[in-house]
Amino acid sequence: ELWMIDINKDQFTIRKKIPVPANTRSIAISDDESLFIGTSSGLFHIQDNQIIKLSEPSGRLSNLDILSISTSLDGSYLWLGTRKGIYGYNKTKKSLSFYNKECGLPSDQFQRISPIIFPDGQLGMVTLEGIIKLNKEEPQEKRSAKPYLKSLRINDIPSSNRKSPRFLTSLTQP
């Protein structure tokens, strides 16, 4: 549950309780003062007292276990720290970019710690191996290519995996 309260001097008054359908891990406030909630089962948006589960075309967003969340400095992106890497969610385009250790992060596992704002205004998030600084620019998805063989023919004869030639040990690009 998310509780909206009023504070008057030394007294708290519960204005409203909004049920959140999953375990809340982290909350970020947007420029328009709406809330984004990172949960154990995806990302939720609360605006005008309505809770909406966010999604994007690939469907990856709806099943994320989000441990930490931060908004970009310009408000257009949400950074979502998980146990498998970090996702950049473009709120306008409703698109998702993914980064992990293969992309150069020190760790795939992010901590349940609020984001850090450095003196230069850049955002940081905490991983198991240390703090990363998030770039101010729109993230570009970078993935390393991993070539693989789907089939192999030697002298126009198909070769099975059990009888692969020993001389073929690696692939190189021209």
Side-chain angles (χ1 to χ4, degrees):
E1 269 186 322
L2 179 65
W3 292 19
M4 300 175 98
I5 61 170
D6 292 323
I7 303 171
N8 296 321
K9 295 185 181 179
D10 296 330
Q11 186 176 358
F12 295 96
T13 305
I14 299 172
R15 186 171 11 124
K16 185 171 185 157
K17 293 180 186 179
I18 300 173
V20 178
N23 294 329
T24 300
R25 308 263 199 238
S26 188
I27 297 176
I29 300 173
S30 188
D31 292 343
D32 63 0
E33 296 186 5
S34 63
L35 296 177
F36 289 91
I37 302 174
T39 73
S40 57
S41 62
L43 182 65
F44 292 84
H45 185 208
I46 296 178
Q47 188 170 23
D48 302 324
N49 294 324
Q50 299 290 325
I51 186 164
I52 301 162
K53 186 169 185 175
L54 297 179
S55 62
E56 40 72 53
S58 75
R60 294 180 292 174
L61 185 59
S62 61
N63 294 320
L64 289 180
D65 183 5
I66 301 167
L67 300 175
S68 56
I69 185 172
S70 177
T71 57
S72 63
L73 295 176
D74 66 3
S76 64
Y77 258 83
L78 293 174
W79 291 102
L80 311 170
T82 71
R83 288 184 177 91
K84 297 179 180 178
I86 189 168
Y87 290 82
Y89 177 66
N90 183 316
K91 296 186 314 187
T92 306
K93 296 178 184 175
K94 298 191 182 339
S95 63
L96 203 60
S97 301
F98 176 71
Y99 307 90
N100 61 11
K101 201 168 183 176
E102 290 178 9
C103 299
L105 292 178
S107 172
D108 289 337
Q109 296 188 16
F110 283 77
Q111 297 290 321
R112 292 184 194 171
I113 298 175
S114 296
I116 298 163
I117 300 176
F118 290 95
D120 64 1
Q122 281 191 290
L123 294 170
M125 290 182 77
V126 181
T127 72
L128 283 179
E129 299 296 323
I131 299 170
I132 63 165
K133 252 186 178 180
L134 302 172
N135 195 340
K136 293 180 183 180
E137 300 169 5
E138 180 175 326
Q140 302 295 319
E141 186 153 2
K142 295 180 183 173
R143 294 186 182 258
S144 57
K146 291 185 178 180
Y148 68 94
L149 292 175
K150 186 173 180 180
S151 65
L152 178 64
R153 296 178 76 87
I154 300 173
N155 296 330
D156 206 26
I157 301 170
S159 178
S160 70
N161 287 341
R162 287 177 282 153
K163 298 179 181 179
S164 295
R166 292 183 184 192
F167 65 86
L168 183 63
T169 57
S170 66
L171 295 175
T172 58
Q173 295 180 333

